[in-house]
Amino acid sequence: MFRFDNTCVTGLSGLESWISEPPVSKLSIPYGRDPEGTKTPIEEAQRKKNYYRCPECGEFLTPRIGTQRQYFAHKQGVLEDTSCSLSSDEGVEKMIEDLRTSNIEEGERERSIRAYLGQRHDGGIELFGIVPSLDWDQIQKDEDVDTLLDKVEIKATGITHPPVPSNFHPSEAEVTLELDPTADSYELQITGPDALGSITGTWTTSGLQHGDLFVGDETRAQRYNSDRQVRQDMWVYLVSKNPPQSEVSFVDVYDFAEVVLLGFRASEKTEPFLDRYSGGLSTENYGFDADVVLPAHTNPTVEAPLYAPPEESVLVGVTPAEQVDPIFEVVSIPKDANDTVEIDRTGPGNPRYYTTEVPSDGSRRVSIHQRNSDRHRFLHLHPSEESSNVATPEPRSRQIGIEIQDENHREFLTPIGEPASKHMPADFNPHLLHTNLEYVGPEDLELEVTATFAEDASLGPTISRDVTALSDIIPEAIHWVESGCNDLEIRFSGIGTVSIRFPQEDQ
Ligand SMILES: [Zn+2]
């Protein structure tokens, strides 16, 4: 295996004729812009020449799509006349790192108040802002957070009930600011000790303007910025100074302060409307879904904090667009707080899973990021007041795993966390598997069932089956156990495994 870096290749122009596809570097330019300017990750690129352009220098890129590796490279010869920061590994690495930074983190770094519109319980609409509370990780061990907060001073403009320092305590998920919808701009000036550097500074955002677009859920829609994509079924509020046109029958109209709000759900039907009023914002480039599967009660389209008992398991299903198999990674917010974790690939279009848990104290904020794109899905976990009580079993809607009914008790094996296994008694009757084994979890999750057999068994050494319903495999599993299977492993696609052991008489 030989390897050049780009500077070498440009210096070797005379040799290019024999190097038809130089293996320039392990790194690829993450994405190219198609003729409409849409950022296309290399995993989603088509084999088209003179089509994608470099996001830095604007010259053509060639998508090289091999079975081993896919990458974008500058069209041959381009770099002889143009210099581009993406011609070096350092430049590419910097771009990959920049893409990894979520829009939430970027906004907070710039001290930008996130602005939301939402419907209250009484049906009225409110405009509110969100700024982060403190994070336990940012407080030194020898510092007392209450003492630090006592030294904080807050000045506010345009904010109806300004927050008080204790609102920023790490036990709070976030700080909500009630915004006066008639104000031109909002400002929250926080001064305090250096140790509180993650919240101090002047947080700002602008007032409501004609054409502003808020996207999310009816109760919590965030003001759109250019990095945001809309998913089908998301709720959209459009701010207008004019009454709506009669042609738009699918929108709800709200009088709000000095403006009119048009509320509607993003769908194929509303796509032309969305396109016309939002400068090309569409549902097409949304890219991937990240749904919180467990706990089951959560709303996947809202980036609001998810409150659940401390240390409760959280399972996030990440589904790429059809036919693509990109790498997803879990990035901390802020990014440097923890290592970035890669989620295992499961094949084109297939869901993959990320498991974590609700912290015991304070928030955990992460972003699920599609590598080589600027697509991020925000996940904010925060412990609820209620603590998990070991004596009361978790409701089944919050579980995933295999439930085994033993003579007089039930046992639950979950693939989340440490590998779980159950030893069946030596006199176990395999036919009881029909009634004693039950799958608990999201529908249609792919399971891989692998039976391992004793050495002298007539079957084996191993047999594997892919199923989406555990009951489909039970008759065969009974036959396996009767034929010398001593270990039945059930792999929950992308999550983990549980196993059931059957002692065989001859062991
Ligand atoms: Zn370039």
Side-chain angles (χ1 to χ4, degrees):
M1 178 83 195
F2 64 102
R3 186 172 174 275
F4 296 116
D5 62 34
N6 270 13
T7 44
C8 269
V9 172
T10 48
L12 289 170
S13 51
L15 298 174
E16 270 169 6
S17 53
W18 65 267
I19 312 167
S20 56
E21 283 207 21
V24 170
S25 139
K26 284 221 162 224
L27 292 169
S28 161
I29 294 171
Y31 65 86
R33 286 188 184 274
D34 74 9
E36 292 183 337
T38 306
K39 299 168 185 173
T40 309
I42 178 61
E43 293 83 357
E44 295 169 25
Q46 298 168 297
R47 290 174 200 271
K48 286 185 172 177
K49 282 190 175 173
N50 297 344
Y51 184 78
Y52 299 106
R53 285 182 182 273
C54 174
E56 284 295 318
C57 67
E59 296 289 342
F60 281 120
L61 296 177
T62 307
R64 302 202 185 269
I65 303 170
T67 48
Q68 295 293 314
R69 207 163 99 69
Q70 308 165 350
Y71 63 97
F72 271 123
H74 286 99
K75 189 182 169 183
Q76 220 159 32
V78 156
L79 292 174
E80 286 168 28
D81 313 316
T82 312
S83 68
C84 177
S85 64
L86 296 180
S87 63
S88 74
D89 281 1
E90 293 74 29
V92 170
E93 260 164 26
K94 183 177 180 303
M95 174 169 265
I96 289 173
E97 208 50 42
D98 287 348
L99 290 170
R100 208 167 258 160
T101 308
S102 64
N103 45 354
I104 299 271
E105 180 171 349
E106 252 168 45
E108 290 178 2
R109 216 183 276 162
E110 292 160 7
R111 294 297 186 252
S112 168
I113 299 172
R114 303 206 301 277
Y116 294 84
L117 280 172
Q119 195 160 22
R120 291 189 307 251
H121 291 297
D122 64 7
I125 302 280
E126 60 184 348
L127 176 69
F128 59 98
I130 299 286
V131 290
S133 58
L134 288 165
D135 203 336
W136 280 121
D137 290 346
Q138 294 151 350
I139 312 285
Q140 298 291 322
K141 290 260 184 305
D142 55 349
E143 302 262 30
D144 176 61
V145 74
D146 295 310
T147 314
L148 291 169
L149 282 169
D150 278 344
K151 297 176 189 155
V152 164
E153 279 183 43
I154 296 174
K155 280 186 206 157
T157 311
I159 297 165
T160 313
H161 300 290
V164 294
S166 63
N167 293 146
F168 290 85
H169 192 277
S171 63
E172 301 292 331
E174 59 187 9
V175 183
T176 306
L177 313 171
E178 202 181 311
L179 304 181
D180 169 8
T182 62
D184 291 337
S185 64
Y186 307 94
E187 198 175 287
L188 184 70
Q189 202 179 19
I190 304 176
T191 49
D194 290 349
L196 304 185
S198 66
I199 58 162
T200 54
T202 303
W203 296 79
T204 61
T205 193
S206 54
L208 281 184
Q209 278 161 28
H210 176 76
D212 276 358
L213 206 62
F214 290 74
V215 176
D217 185 79
E218 277 169 278
T219 59
R220 186 165 163 136
Q222 193 190 344
R223 181 150 52 184
Y224 164 82
N225 62 53
S226 59
D227 290 336
R228 204 169 156 83
Q229 301 99 23
V230 183
R231 142 169 154 169
Q232 294 273 0
D233 292 334
M234 271 186 166
W235 188 259
V236 180
Y237 289 110
L238 175 67
V239 179
S240 177
K241 293 263 196 254
N242 313 313
Q245 298 157 7
S246 55
E247 58 175 298
V248 286
S249 57
F250 49 80
V251 301
D252 293 341
V253 181
Y254 312 85
D255 282 318
F256 184 67
E258 290 155 357
V259 297
V260 171
L261 296 179
L262 311 180
F264 59 94
R265 207 165 279 293
S267 68
E268 270 174 39
K269 196 171 75 174
T270 57
E271 184 102 2
F273 187 75
L274 196 57
D275 186 49
R276 175 147 38 102
Y277 285 94
S278 64
L281 179 70
S282 91
T283 57
E284 252 168 48
N285 194 32
Y286 189 72
F288 75 96
D289 286 327
D291 294 340
V292 178
V293 181
L294 297 174
H297 55 83
T298 43
N299 184 333
T301 62
V302 181
E303 40 128 282
L306 184 166
Y307 295 93
E311 292 169 36
E312 176 157 315
S313 294
V314 175
L315 178 66
V316 183
V318 181
T319 311
E322 272 174 59
Q323 294 170 3
V324 294
D325 190 17
I327 293 174
F328 292 97
E329 52 194 20
V330 182
V331 184
S332 280
I333 298 174
K335 195 177 62 189
D336 300 335
N338 275 299
D339 289 341
T340 296
V341 177
E342 211 173 282
I343 302 175
D344 291 340
R345 290 200 219 195
T346 53
N350 287 341
R352 46 217 76 195
Y353 294 88
Y354 164 62
T355 58
T356 182
E357 62 176 37
V358 178
S360 49
D361 192 10
S363 282
R364 173 159 159 70
R365 304 193 304 158
V366 298
S367 179
I368 312 286
H369 172 231
Q370 179 179 339
R371 179 99 47 99
N372 296 333
S373 82
D374 58 2
R375 298 170 188 151
H376 283 265
R377 305 287 175 263
F378 181 43
L379 180 65
H380 185 171
L381 306 173
H382 197 83
S384 54
E385 300 287 319
E386 134 203 34
S387 66
S388 43
N389 188 341
V390 187
T392 50
E394 292 179 64
R396 288 179 54 141
S397 67
R398 290 180 175 174
Q399 293 184 330
I400 181 166
I402 300 293
E403 193 170 73
I404 303 173
Q405 173 75 51
D406 203 353
E407 281 143 17
N408 39 28
H409 72 287
R410 283 170 176 273
E411 197 164 326
F412 192 72
L413 302 180
T414 177
I416 299 174
E418 294 294 304
S421 69
K422 159 84 177 162
H423 288 258
M424 301 308 273
D427 58 353
F428 177 74
N429 175 357
H431 290 271
L432 290 176
L433 288 175
H434 270 302
T435 50
N436 290 15
L437 211 61
E438 201 186 339
Y439 165 81
V440 179
E443 269 178 54
D444 297 333
L445 185 73
E446 200 168 288
L447 303 172
E448 185 191 1
V449 180
T450 304
T452 306
F453 292 84
E455 252 176 47
D456 56 352
S458 55
L459 298 174
T462 62
I463 298 176
S464 277
R465 299 276 184 269
D466 290 332
V467 290
T468 48
L470 190 66
S471 54
D472 292 350
I473 198 82
I474 296 293
E476 204 173 358
I478 292 169
H479 175 61
W480 292 340
V481 176
E482 286 177 331
S483 312
C485 162
N486 51 22
D487 183 86
L488 195 65
E489 186 189 74
I490 302 165
R491 172 172 294 277
F492 292 67
S493 178
I495 302 173
T497 61
V498 304
S499 60
I500 305 165
R501 306 253 153 81
F502 302 95
Q504 294 292 333
E505 279 160 21
D506 52 355
Q507 282 185 316

